[in-house]
């Protein structure tokens, strides 16, 4: 729990954490996922995360029809001390998501994608995704 202390001088000191972080990253991600599900944000998958001394901040994207919709994303920060959610942003999700979300038709098959990889590179996995481009347009990507 955070504390705000009034010292003898008219200065406020904010001490948000008391101990060293104990929560492993995977547990923080699980906690963030549970938080989202509790709010009704289902079919969300972590697509990236950042770890600091005291926080794990993760970006989750909506998954529909086995396609990742990056524009439909939320961000959750979890304290590594205690596992509490300390920050949540759903702006992108609320601006972009609809219940009738579809990915459209892919122009490239996953089995053909390896031919487009740079020489000497081998694709270990492939997944379709919808991404945003400048101007607010959405594109399908592999």
């Amino acid at each position: 729990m955070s504390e705000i202390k009034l010292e003898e001088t008219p200065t406020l000191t904010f001490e948000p954490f008391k101990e060293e972080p104990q929560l492993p990253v995977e547990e923080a991600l699980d906690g963030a996922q549970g938080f989202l599900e509790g709010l009704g944000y289902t079919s969300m998958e972590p697509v990236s995360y950042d770890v600091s001394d005291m926080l794990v901040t993760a970006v989750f994207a909506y998954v529909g029809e086995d396609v990742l919709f990056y524009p439909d994303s939320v961000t959750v920060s979890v304290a590594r001390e205690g596992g509490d959610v300390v920050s949540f942003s759903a702006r992108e999700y609320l601006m972009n998501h609809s219940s009738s979300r579809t990915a459209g038709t892919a122009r490239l098959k996953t089995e053909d994608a390896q031919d487009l990889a740079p020489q000497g590179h081998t694709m270990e996995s492939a997944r379709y995704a919808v991404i945003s481009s400048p101007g607010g347009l959405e594109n399908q990507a592999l």
Side-chain angles (χ1 to χ4, degrees):
M1 189 69 176
S2 301
E3 293 180 19
I4 297 178
K5 298 177 183 177
L6 181 60
E7 304 294 336
E8 292 181 13
T9 59
T11 304
L12 289 175
T13 304
F14 182 62
E15 297 178 10
F17 304 102
K18 296 179 182 181
E19 299 174 17
E20 291 297 314
Q22 301 295 319
L23 192 66
V25 172
E26 286 303 318
E27 287 183 35
L29 292 174
D30 289 344
Q33 184 87 49
F35 172 80
L36 291 174
E37 289 171 2
L39 291 177
Y41 290 88
T42 57
S43 301
M44 303 297 286
E45 184 175 303
V47 293
S48 67
Y49 63 88
D50 183 50
V51 181
S52 68
D53 289 340
M54 298 296 176
L55 295 175
V56 175
T57 300
V59 176
F60 290 78
Y62 172 72
V63 178
E65 303 173 17
D66 202 32
V67 175
L68 277 171
F69 290 84
Y70 282 94
D72 301 18
S73 64
V74 298
T75 304
V76 182
S77 294
V78 177
R80 295 186 67 201
E81 176 196 327
D84 295 325
V85 171
V86 296
S87 175
F88 170 67
S89 173
R91 181 181 184 277
E92 298 299 320
Y93 183 93
L94 295 171
M95 299 265 305
N96 294 301
H97 187 73
S98 75
S99 59
S100 60
R101 193 75 148 119
T102 59
T105 305
R107 292 182 226 138
L108 177 69
K109 295 183 178 175
T110 54
E111 50 272 8
D112 297 331
Q114 179 60 51
D115 295 337
L116 300 174
Q119 187 174 3
H121 290 80
T122 302
M123 290 179 47
E124 293 181 12
S125 66
R127 184 168 195 183
Y128 286 104
V130 172
I131 59 174
S132 292
S133 62
L137 300 175
E138 291 184 351
N139 295 301
Q140 291 78 30
L142 177 65

